[in-house]
Amino acid sequence: MAEKLKPKTAGYALASVAGIVSFICLLLVIIARDFALNLFGAIFHGIDLSQIAADNITLGSAILGFVEVVIAGFILGWLFAVIYNKLK
């Protein structure tokens, strides 16, 4: 029988992955904005993100976005583990 997942550990793991992905996304937008918008537009099935993308990213908005993604990642990872354990 497989072991149960530890909800906090799963939360921390997903929060870490989400934070890394968010940081890489930020770097892509800063370094190669047009490439990033085309790449993410393809992921979202052709939505033209250039119409809604901000012209400049402030440090405050970058930090806030990072914190939001990490918190959401933790909550989703924790919830996944709780549901997984209940279904076992």
Side-chain angles (χ1 to χ4, degrees):
M1 182 158 119
E3 291 184 33
K4 291 190 172 196
L5 296 176
K6 296 178 182 174
K8 278 188 180 178
T9 303
Y12 290 137
L14 188 54
S16 299
V17 170
I20 291 167
V21 170
S22 177
F23 184 71
I24 291 170
C25 177
L26 174 64
L27 290 179
L28 271 175
V29 170
I30 291 171
I31 295 169
R33 184 177 193 270
D34 291 337
F35 171 76
L37 291 176
N38 287 331
L39 176 68
F40 301 133
I43 291 171
F44 292 106
H45 308 294
I47 294 173
D48 185 6
L49 296 177
S50 65
Q51 299 297 317
I52 59 172
D55 289 333
N56 59 359
I57 299 171
T58 65
L59 179 62
S61 68
I63 292 171
L64 179 60
F66 180 81
V67 169
E68 289 172 349
V69 165
V70 168
I71 290 171
F74 179 83
I75 292 169
L76 290 172
W78 177 86
L79 185 59
F80 174 85
V82 168
I83 292 171
Y84 175 86
N85 290 338
K86 296 273 187 209
L87 294 175
K88 282 186 64 171

